[in-house]
Amino acid sequence: AQSVTQLGSHVSVSEGALVLLRCNYSSSVPPYLFWYVQYPNQGLQLLLKYTSAATLVKGINGFEAEFKKSETSFHLTKPSAHMSDAAEYFCAVSDSASYGKLTFGQGTILTVHP
Amino acid sequence: AAGVIQSPRHLIKEKRETATLKCYPIPRHDTVYWYQQGPGQDPQFLISFYEKMQSDKGSIPDRFSAQQFSDYHSELNMSSLELGDSALYFCASSSLRDRQMNTEAFFGQGTRLTVV
């Protein structure tokens, strides 16, 4: 069975500060990992995905994540937070057969202060 | 670009009523997934269909059923609704057949179901 754990249900940063959202995974097979963002009352938008190519993955809106097998981690970062980044972020894992059957983490709400 | 379309966006039903949610996938996508997201919860996988056949099943109650039609749209039917069914229901689509396409799942805006 696959699972992901997001450390910290709430993260608060100042505008312009580094954003770091943590995600650790558990998988018996090579995982496919994703980060999704959800704005209030909106659907899930894909930020980036890891599918066993480059371990450093660049996504939209300046976000990136690094796959570290030794640490079973896939943390999401952004060098400089913007007010528009305030949202809930979900880390998710799937097996190779079906990228849409996802197991999500509990989510991290990002608050950005001016 | 066309996205996943879900209807209705909002639905209010009374306990013990039935509800039908519809999902129209991105053109050329052959796979549809349904998720349920309760208040303050992460999305939970319910069921998926590939080429009109059920491909996987998650934590979907027996009171719920779903199908995918010949035009690839999907419907989630929910009967004997309970207060606990109040949630945001997402549909996502992807292409498993065409590996040249991006194969990640694209999500719709969701249907917010409120059971009163």
Side-chain angles (χ1 to χ4, degrees):
Chain A
Q2 299 173 305
S3 66
V4 289
T5 301
Q6 292 182 238
L7 300 177
S9 58
H10 291 80
V11 170
S12 181
V13 301
S14 298
E15 191 173 18
L18 171 72
V19 176
L20 171 61
L21 305 182
R22 301 177 186 273
C23 172
N24 287 88
Y25 70 90
S26 173
S27 177
S28 57
V29 298
Y32 292 80
L33 294 160
F34 306 80
W35 276 99
Y36 283 86
V37 61
Q38 184 178 31
Y39 297 97
N41 297 314
Q42 297 294 314
L44 294 156
Q45 181 183 9
L46 180 68
L47 281 176
L48 48 81
K49 62 180 180 182
Y50 168 75
T51 56
S52 75
T55 56
L56 182 61
V57 182
K58 294 187 182 298
I60 62 172
N61 301 338
F63 285 94
E64 63 181 38
E66 186 172 9
F67 174 73
K68 292 186 177 180
K69 185 177 179 180
S70 61
E71 299 178 6
T72 61
S73 69
F74 190 57
H75 302 331
L76 181 71
T77 61
K78 182 175 181 178
S80 178
H82 192 272
M83 297 294 289
S84 61
D85 294 327
E88 188 162 17
Y89 293 79
F90 289 95
C91 181
V93 62
S94 84
D95 61 38
S96 60
S98 178
Y99 289 177
K101 183 188 175 189
L102 299 163
T103 299
F104 287 89
Q106 301 89 331
T108 298
I109 295 174
L110 175 66
T111 302
V112 182
H113 296 287
Chain B
V4 177
I5 305 297
Q6 290 188 246
S7 69
R9 290 294 310 278
H10 302 273
L11 189 59
I12 299 175
K13 290 286 186 178
E14 295 187 354
K15 285 192 302 183
R16 294 179 288 279
E17 285 193 317
T18 62
T20 297
L21 310 184
K22 297 185 178 182
C23 169
Y24 297 86
I26 291 172
R28 292 178 57 197
H29 278 192
D30 47 41
T31 308
V32 168
Y33 312 84
W34 285 97
Y35 286 83
Q36 177 191 58
Q37 185 179 27
Q41 303 294 314
D42 56 286
Q44 295 289 317
F45 171 74
L46 292 178
I47 195 167
S48 63
F49 291 86
Y50 169 65
E51 286 290 348
K52 292 150 281 185
M53 299 289 289
Q54 180 181 309
S55 55
D56 216 327
K57 195 171 182 179
S59 51
I60 184 169
D62 292 340
R63 299 177 289 107
F64 295 6
S65 65
Q67 58 182 323
Q68 186 179 31
F69 295 86
S70 57
D71 63 352
Y72 294 100
H73 94 273
S74 178
E75 295 183 4
L76 177 66
N77 299 292
M78 311 159 70
S79 62
S80 302
L81 288 169
E82 303 173 356
L83 295 178
D85 295 329
S86 295
L88 194 55
Y89 290 84
F90 287 111
C91 171
S93 74
S94 69
S95 174
L96 289 183
R97 177 181 62 243
D98 186 353
R99 291 290 177 173
Q100 298 302 313
M101 298 181 69
N102 289 327
T103 51
E104 70 265 20
F106 292 84
F107 283 78
Q109 295 293 296
T111 294
R112 181 168 297 283
L113 173 67
T114 303
V115 182
V116 297

